């Protein structure tokens, strides 16, 4: 069965027939652009179709889309899989609002993506946060503290718990005991596994959430698999989730004009990974191990932490496909290292922070890519004094107002320095990684102001901070 790729094959066969189009989309199989001399679009636009006969319907699948979703479910060992064409964000929103009702409490990883907070706000839910320990040497958030989470689960009366695993840096937590405890207390476990769609396909990597007892797992296939941007999956396992309500919420948060090329890329990503994923990931992990070893032998202050490093820090697991280069001892900050890579070597990373550069690697990277990265690191000379690193751990605040109440309040834009002690009217979120420094309804403290300034100095885009101003409740 896994030899089939129904969505891709249907689109390909249709495009070869060169039918006459009196339906949307308006580019008419690419002809519109071709007349303007931009034939680069031709191949992709020939399969950019709509819900004509034989092409099924994402919101009521009964043909090729249903078959493709069922194949993905079997590949991941879950009961149901839904294609997401609005990114993992759509799955997070649908999962939260499909599980909880207004007024319910939900336990949230404070290092969550901003979409989780938006779901809580839209659902008029009450968040109960838990934090994470921060590695004092690198500033990287570590695995979940089970004792803290256990206490919250046992005493919160929450409807669901929402966990990010792995985090942006590839740090994984032990989810099985969290799932058992959550289920014991009648909770649904939702896992934002946006950065872990590949974990299922090789046992050298940490366990995927789909095998840990999680009820809902959201994955961005476009991040680590060969799928197009915005392509993602929502997996459901077990009987704790109301499927009818979940599907209604997917209908709310997904476009009624889904991209067929995007869905075909999801179909192909599953096909490729089932056929060749294990071997491709083994090859990739060998390359990343070689790269770390090579960087750590340079003796120029750069350091690429590995699984052993994070295990010593108490982490449960580390995704070895992530390449972290810590540059503090080279006398550089993350922006400076990223700038050197981009401007001098043409190497573009996924993100940088105060003292780290992060590369997301996939089987799409060639051996030459890794050689170029090692060479670029070899050309780095220590810049002098070791970079300082502030305390990256922000305390979990008790909100002054509920998230949904803030949404209805009048707001004002004030200079950052004047916002000290005021209540945030919007999340202030460096992106990437998309983890809020402050959430709506929380106090803008002096520590948060200092962190905003630091991120701004490093040229990191900060959603909720522009022209030196932030939004606060009036």
């Amino acid at each position: 069965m896994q030899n089939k790729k129904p969505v891709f094959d249907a689109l390909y066969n249709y495009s070869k027939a060169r039918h006459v189009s009196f339906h949307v989309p308006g580019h008419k199989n690419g002809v519109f652009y071709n007349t303007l001399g931009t034939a680069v679009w031709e191949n992709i636009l020939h399969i950019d179709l709509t819900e004509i006969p034989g092409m099924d319907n994402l919101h009521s699948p009964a043909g090729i889309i249903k078959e493709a979703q069922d194949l993905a479910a079997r590949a991941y060992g879950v009961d149901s899989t839904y294609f997401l064409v609005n990114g993992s964000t759509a799955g997070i929103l649908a999962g939260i609002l499909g599980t909880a009702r207004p007024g319910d409490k939900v336990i949230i990883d404070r290092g969550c993506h901003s979409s989780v907070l938006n779901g809580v706000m839209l659902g008029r839910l009450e968040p109960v946060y838990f934090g994470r320990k921060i590695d004092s040497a690198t500033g990287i958030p570590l695995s979940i503290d089970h004792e803290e989470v256990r206490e919250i689960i046992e005493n919160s009366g929450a409807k669901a718990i929402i966990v990010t695993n792995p985090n942006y840096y590839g740090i994984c937590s032990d989810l099985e005991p969290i799932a058992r405890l959550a289920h014991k207390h009648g909770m649904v476990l939702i896992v934002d596994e946006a950065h872990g769609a590949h974990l299922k396909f090789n046992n050298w990597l940490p366990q995927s959430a789909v095998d840990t007892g999680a009820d809902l797992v959201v994955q961005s296939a476009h991040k680590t698999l060969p799928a197009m941007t915005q392509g993602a999956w929502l997996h459901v396992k077990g009987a704790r989730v109301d499927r009818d309500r979940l599907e209604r919420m997917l209908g709310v948060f997904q476009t009624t004009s889904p991209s067929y090329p995007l869905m075909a890329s999801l179909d192909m990503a599953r096909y490729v990974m089932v056929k060749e994923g294990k071997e491709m990931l083994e090859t990739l992990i060998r390359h990343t191990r070689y790269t770390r070893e090579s960087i750590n032998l340079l003796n120029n202050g750069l350091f690429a932490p590995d699984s052993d490093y994070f295990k010593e820090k108490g982490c449960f697991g580390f995704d070895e496909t992530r390449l972290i280069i810590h540059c503090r001892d080279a006398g550089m900050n993350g922006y400076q290292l990223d700038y050197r890579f981009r401007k001098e070597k043409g190497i573009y990373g996924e993100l940088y922070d105060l003292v780290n550069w992060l590369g997301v690697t996939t089987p799409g990277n060639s051996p030459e890519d890794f050689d170029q990265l090692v060479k670029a690191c070899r050309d780095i000379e220590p810049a002098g004094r070791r970079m300082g690193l502030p305390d990256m751990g922000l305390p979990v605040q008790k909100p002054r107002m509920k998230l949904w109440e803030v949404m209805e309040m009048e707001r004002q834009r004030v200079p950052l320095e004047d916002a000290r002690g005021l209540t945030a009217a919007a999340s202030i979120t460096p992106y990437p990684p998309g983890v809020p420094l402050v959430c709506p309804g929380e106090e803008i403290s002096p520590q948060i102001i200092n962190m905003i300034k630091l991120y701004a100095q490093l040229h990191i885009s900060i959603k909720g901070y522009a022209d030196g101003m932030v939004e606060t409740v009036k």
Side-chain angles (χ1 to χ4, degrees):
M1 285 295 292
Q2 292 293 346
N3 288 325
K4 302 180 71 175
K5 39 192 188 306
V7 175
F8 177 85
D9 288 342
L11 294 177
Y12 179 78
N13 292 334
Y14 184 92
S15 71
K16 301 300 285 186
R18 305 290 177 173
H19 296 290
V20 176
S21 169
F22 284 100
H23 56 77
V24 298
H27 56 67
K28 301 300 179 182
N29 301 318
V31 173
F32 194 111
Y33 286 108
N34 291 343
T35 62
L36 299 176
T38 52
V40 67
W41 290 103
E42 181 177 10
N43 290 335
I44 191 68
L45 294 185
H46 272 300
I47 64 169
D48 185 28
L49 299 174
T50 188
E51 293 90 347
I52 56 177
M55 292 300 146
D56 208 357
N57 187 317
L58 178 63
H59 293 278
S60 183
I64 59 171
I65 295 174
K66 181 182 186 305
E67 185 179 4
Q69 291 185 152
D70 289 346
L71 286 167
R74 283 196 284 274
Y76 278 93
V78 297
D79 297 330
S80 302
T81 294
Y82 298 91
F83 280 10
L84 303 175
V85 294
N86 291 66
S88 281
T89 292
I92 293 291
L93 295 174
I96 292 173
L97 272 73
T99 300
R101 305 293 196 277
D104 283 344
K105 292 181 180 179
V106 288
I107 302 169
I108 294 178
D109 188 337
R110 192 58 178 83
C112 67
H113 188 263
S114 56
S115 61
V116 174
L117 298 174
N118 290 335
V120 170
M121 189 183 304
L122 290 171
R124 298 197 169 200
L125 308 174
E126 182 179 340
V128 181
Y129 297 111
F130 66 88
R132 294 196 187 215
K133 293 179 181 177
I134 305 294
D135 177 22
S136 60
T138 63
I140 292 174
L142 303 175
S143 295
I144 293 169
D145 182 339
H146 281 186
E147 187 58 31
E148 179 184 359
V149 170
R150 181 193 63 76
E151 186 174 343
I152 294 173
I153 289 175
E154 290 180 347
N155 295 288
S156 66
K159 183 75 173 181
I161 176 169
I162 306 162
V163 172
T164 304
N165 190 80
N167 68 14
Y168 224 127
Y169 295 90
I171 304 300
C172 296
S173 300
D174 187 2
L175 298 183
E176 287 186 347
I178 295 175
R180 287 195 299 269
L181 192 59
H183 295 159
K184 178 182 176 182
H185 290 270
M187 299 179 194
V188 169
L189 173 59
I190 302 173
V191 179
D192 176 359
E193 198 170 70
H195 290 272
H198 59 300
L199 298 179
K200 176 71 176 179
F201 298 102
N202 192 288
N203 58 16
W204 290 7
L205 296 169
Q207 193 175 32
S208 171
V210 298
D211 296 320
T212 64
D215 302 289
L216 290 171
V217 180
V218 183
Q219 299 173 332
S220 291
H222 70 91
K223 284 180 165 54
T224 59
L225 304 185
M228 292 174 65
T229 296
Q230 289 184 216
W233 286 307
L234 170 60
H235 302 299
V236 183
K237 197 168 185 178
R240 293 179 182 85
V241 176
D242 182 340
R243 306 290 180 87
D244 290 338
R245 181 176 172 84
L246 177 67
E247 290 178 6
R248 288 198 299 275
M249 292 302 167
L250 284 170
V252 170
F253 294 110
Q254 295 240 76
T255 176
T256 55
S257 301
S259 164
Y260 273 79
L262 197 158
M263 289 190 287
S265 78
L266 287 171
D267 196 20
M268 282 297 293
R270 181 270 314 160
Y271 173 82
V272 169
M273 294 308 292
V274 169
K275 296 281 285 184
E276 304 176 39
K278 182 177 184 293
E279 293 75 17
M280 291 192 300
L281 286 167
E282 284 182 6
T283 300
L284 174 63
I285 293 167
R286 289 191 180 96
H287 286 313
T288 59
R289 288 175 178 175
Y290 154 79
T291 302
R292 286 188 199 89
E293 291 169 2
S294 299
I295 292 171
N296 291 338
L297 289 172
L298 294 176
N299 198 31
N300 62 353
L302 298 180
F303 169 58
D306 58 11
S307 294
D308 289 339
Y309 174 85
F310 288 113
K311 190 177 292 184
E312 289 175 2
K313 298 291 181 175
C315 288
F316 179 74
F318 173 61
D319 173 8
E320 291 192 75
T321 70
R322 292 289 149 118
L323 272 177
I324 301 167
I325 302 177
H326 180 65
C327 53
R328 185 182 182 189
D329 290 337
M332 306 175 73
N333 59 43
Y335 170 72
Q336 292 166 330
L337 182 60
D338 182 74
Y339 185 87
R340 292 279 302 272
F341 282 168
R342 285 186 291 110
K343 295 299 182 181
E344 297 177 11
K345 307 297 181 181
I347 296 173
Y348 284 73
E350 173 68 15
L351 70 80
Y352 61 85
D353 61 26
L354 301 183
V355 290
N356 300 293
W357 179 93
L358 174 67
V360 173
T361 75
T362 77
N365 285 107
S366 68
E368 291 75 23
D369 292 343
F370 297 100
D371 290 338
Q372 288 186 51
L373 181 60
V374 172
K375 185 177 185 304
C377 290
R378 187 177 294 117
D379 292 342
I380 298 293
E381 295 181 1
R385 193 173 57 182
R386 186 178 192 238
M387 286 293 298
L389 179 64
D391 181 4
M392 300 295 290
L394 292 172
V396 175
Q397 292 194 42
K398 183 177 181 180
R400 293 172 168 177
M401 304 174 65
K402 297 183 188 300
L403 285 169
W404 61 267
E405 290 176 336
V406 178
M407 189 167 57
E408 307 298 336
M409 299 291 290
E410 288 191 45
R411 53 188 64 196
Q412 60 188 356
R413 296 185 77 232
V414 300
L416 180 62
E417 286 294 348
D418 295 343
R420 186 187 307 259
L422 299 182
T423 302
S427 295
I428 301 176
T429 308
Y431 202 95
V435 175
L437 297 175
V438 64
C439 298
E442 294 180 348
E443 178 187 355
I444 301 175
S445 67
Q447 185 183 5
I448 287 167
I449 290 174
N450 290 336
M451 291 296 291
I452 293 169
K453 289 179 179 177
L454 271 174
Y455 279 109
Q457 289 168 6
L458 292 176
H459 306 274
I460 293 173
S461 174
I462 307 173
K463 183 180 178 182
Y465 173 71
D467 303 321
M469 311 281 279
V470 295
E471 282 191 337
T472 64
V473 174
K474 242 182 179 182

